[in-house]
Amino acid sequence: MTAMALEHCDLLIVGAGPAGMAAAVAAGPSGASIAVIDDNPVPGGQIWRDGPGASLPAAARTWRDALERHANVRVCSGTRVVAAPARNELLLEDAERGWRMRWNKLILCTGARELLLPFPGWTLPGVTGAGGLQALIKAGLPVEGERIVIAGSGPLLLAAAATARAAGAKVVRVAEQASFAAVAGFAASLLRWPGKAAQAVTLADPQYRTSSRIVSAQGGAQVDSVRLLQGGREEEIACERIACGFGLMPNTQLGRMLGCALTPTEAGAQALAVDARQATSLPDIHAAGECTGFGGSERALAQGTIAGYAAIGNKHAAKQHEAGRARWDAFAAQLHRSFALSPDIRRMPRPDTLVCRCEDVPFSALVDCSGWTDAKLHRRCGMGACQGRVCGDAAQFLFGWMPPAPRPPLSPARIATLAGLAGHDDVDRQ
Amino acid sequence: MSVPTLLLQIDGQPVRVKAGSSVAAALRLAGGMGVARTSVTGQPRAPFCGMGVCQECRVLIDGRRRLACQAVCTEGLRVETSE
């Protein structure tokens, strides 16, 4: 058996969304050898996800072009982090191979995932996340003629509605759980961020309702209707698809596995803690973008730029982007205040509603558990393929359980890749 | 000008998709709401998070287990659902 390949780079960036792209572009002119890895097929992250159903904004193309101009930047798409087998080293896997990557500096730009919360019927085919629907449509999912209901919280609902409508779907309702006063307050605050206000106008939707939340999805083999609660009154709407998103959770798994310290965000989630230079609690590891708390692409670009400069030791250039970052930090704070989740959302699951979709664990099996580890050991909650990414977030929201730091493998991996966890010499001897 | 398409097989059935489409999109084109697998209690499950987190869309692609939402279709691909 031949030893697993070991590669080196000066700077490794995990994530090719806005933060990762900006970090690579800032660090690029230094001439350092830079590798950017990302688990999606092309750079851009979720917000600038490309595909046959996507219409990429100009900014996305500009950043992608900038990334391509640097010969010392290598982008590895379709690549996941499996483990951290040694100090300053990650074990990676793509569709073809597994390999070890040694780095001098690391920037974590691992983004965020949607907070997906259980309600009766949420496992039916036809139910997706709100951002999930956007991503699927951009990647070519046909939705023409489908009646779609979008529910949950935050501006992402309107963005998802716009994407669905542009793809030929009939968006029959957008149900926002926040009150009219909260949403109106948010809209008024956008005067401080004119670009966002202009964007909001393009997303205005006649089917938008506030103080409205999902009760259940109905259907046999797939969704055929949704029940919504609107100001104390329940109504049922026929539809083929339901997209639900309740905000975003920072993707901190890799940072936690490496030992980076966390900090609570205003939205109640945990994010990677960073200082003014985007440095984490560990030497040589920076973090930027949504993994440090969600706040949109502009904030991610500013943070990524600072992290990129800081990682190559250009403190002066890093400092020049701090004002831009502060402006978008304020926007993020406003967003979190306006779309805070109502305690009613915790009442969505019924006793038989599955919380863990991988192991089919119902809500009733979890209510008496003392915490995440108890639920995992005795109810198998979080023991499936998603490793608690979905139900762990849900359980944190529903019960206040904080999952412990993840252990390798960070994502399901092939045995041949896991063989790379053995020491280099061990593999050689086999 | 027509959009370039390619042909793949899902559970032995031919499916034509736009170039650049994900396997998740192809599952939907193959019929129904794109069921990829069945859960441990036998319920049908389809792509859910759309971004490689939930693992609900895992299928066999040319014999390898991969996520349909993060796999791009190529000519002649063989996809098998369920597990």
Side-chain angles (χ1 to χ4, degrees):
Chain A
M1 182 174 171
T2 51
M4 176 165 276
L6 175 65
E7 298 177 7
H8 298 259
C9 63
D10 296 322
L11 172 61
L12 178 61
I13 299 171
V14 181
M21 290 170 121
V25 168
S30 69
S33 68
I34 300 171
V36 186
I37 64 157
D38 189 276
D39 63 346
N40 283 298
V42 286
Q46 297 307 329
I47 187 154
W48 293 334
R49 179 182 271 260
D50 204 355
S55 54
L56 275 190
R61 294 194 184 282
T62 304
W63 282 98
R64 202 191 284 180
D65 291 348
L67 199 60
E68 283 171 5
R69 272 201 298 274
H70 297 287
N72 54 324
V73 177
R74 185 162 61 101
V75 178
C76 308
S77 293
T79 302
R80 288 173 179 274
V81 176
V82 173
R87 197 177 145 83
N88 290 39
E89 198 178 303
L90 292 181
L91 177 64
L92 309 175
E93 180 185 275
D94 66 13
E96 304 299 326
R97 65 176 190 137
W99 74 102
R100 298 161 75 135
M101 177 69 92
R102 194 165 286 167
W103 46 270
N104 296 330
K105 299 273 183 181
L106 177 67
I107 305 181
L108 302 172
C109 303
T110 47
R113 54 180 184 267
E114 263 187 291
L115 177 58
L116 301 161
L117 295 174
F119 55 85
W122 78 313
T123 54
L124 282 173
V127 178
T128 68
L133 177 63
Q134 258 198 315
L136 289 163
I137 291 173
K138 288 177 182 178
L141 181 80
V143 293
E144 198 170 350
E146 281 184 0
R147 291 166 299 177
I148 301 183
V149 169
I150 299 173
S153 195
L156 183 60
L157 302 186
L158 288 170
T163 301
R165 200 172 284 120
K170 296 186 195 92
V171 177
V172 290
R173 179 63 56 85
V174 181
E176 165 62 58
Q177 59 87 42
S179 68
F180 177 78
V183 175
F186 179 72
S189 78
L190 290 184
L191 291 173
R192 289 169 62 196
W193 303 277
K196 288 285 174 193
Q199 201 182 347
V201 169
T202 66
L203 295 176
D205 193 307
Q207 303 305 329
Y208 191 72
R209 302 285 186 280
T210 52
S211 297
S212 182
R213 71 168 175 87
I214 192 157
V215 175
S216 60
Q218 280 74 233
Q222 62 192 58
V223 168
D224 54 37
S225 73
V226 63
R227 229 171 251 144
L228 296 169
L229 194 63
Q230 167 80 63
R233 196 173 60 89
E234 231 178 80
E235 67 175 313
E236 189 160 336
I237 301 176
C239 61
E240 285 78 43
R241 197 177 281 283
I242 302 168
C244 276
F246 294 87
L248 300 175
M249 298 288 277
N251 255 334
T252 59
Q253 260 78 10
L254 176 55
R256 291 190 75 195
M257 190 176 78
L258 294 171
C260 296
L262 297 177
T263 185
T265 67
E266 290 187 51
Q270 297 283 323
L272 296 180
V274 287
D275 68 9
R277 300 285 188 279
Q278 299 297 135
T280 69
S281 62
L282 295 181
D284 304 327
I285 303 181
H286 287 73
E290 312 277 77
C291 63
T292 71
F294 84 87
S297 59
E298 296 87 351
R299 176 176 169 278
L301 287 168
Q303 287 196 342
T305 301
I306 293 169
Y309 282 130
I312 56 161
N314 190 344
K315 287 181 186 167
H316 178 71
K319 195 159 181 60
Q320 286 178 330
H321 291 268
E322 286 181 7
R325 181 182 58 193
R327 175 175 155 76
W328 293 111
D329 277 345
F331 172 73
Q334 180 68 47
L335 191 68
H336 294 153
R337 273 195 301 277
S338 302
F339 294 98
L341 292 181
S342 145
D344 281 353
I345 301 292
R346 288 197 177 81
R347 292 204 283 270
M348 287 196 305
R350 285 198 293 248
D352 63 348
T353 303
L354 299 183
V355 174
C356 175
R357 301 171 63 103
C358 295
E359 293 292 327
D360 290 358
V361 183
F363 182 80
S364 59
L366 299 174
V367 285
D368 293 332
C369 290
S370 60
W372 178 249
T373 304
D374 185 23
K376 204 169 171 176
L377 290 177
H378 297 112
R379 302 287 186 255
R380 291 197 57 79
C381 186
M383 294 290 277
C386 94
Q387 296 172 303
R389 301 281 194 287
V390 177
C391 63
D393 290 346
Q396 200 178 332
F397 177 78
L398 293 170
F399 307 112
W401 300 340
M402 179 68 187
R407 283 181 293 194
L410 207 53
S411 56
R414 293 187 295 272
I415 294 290
T417 303
L418 295 175
L421 283 173
H424 222 51
D425 295 335
D426 302 342
V427 177
D428 278 340
R429 276 198 297 274
Q430 285 169 19
Chain B
M1 199 180 80
S2 64
V3 184
T5 63
L6 39 89
L7 195 64
L8 62 152
Q9 284 195 2
I10 297 184
D11 295 329
Q13 298 299 311
V15 177
R16 188 167 284 281
V17 300
K18 283 184 199 167
S21 296
S22 67
V23 172
L27 289 171
R28 172 77 172 99
L29 286 162
M33 293 306 275
V35 170
R37 56 179 289 266
T38 48
S39 79
V40 294
T41 58
Q43 302 173 7
R45 296 286 170 76
F48 178 54
C49 80
M51 49 190 79
V53 175
C54 74
Q55 310 277 321
E56 289 281 46
C57 69
R58 59 192 189 273
V59 290
L60 286 177
I61 299 177
D62 285 343
R64 278 185 167 167
R65 185 189 279 193
R66 292 178 61 192
L67 297 181
C69 74
Q70 289 185 314
V72 178
C73 294
T74 54
E75 185 70 32
L77 212 65
R78 285 173 300 110
V79 179
E80 289 161 69
T81 64
S82 186
E83 31 186 63

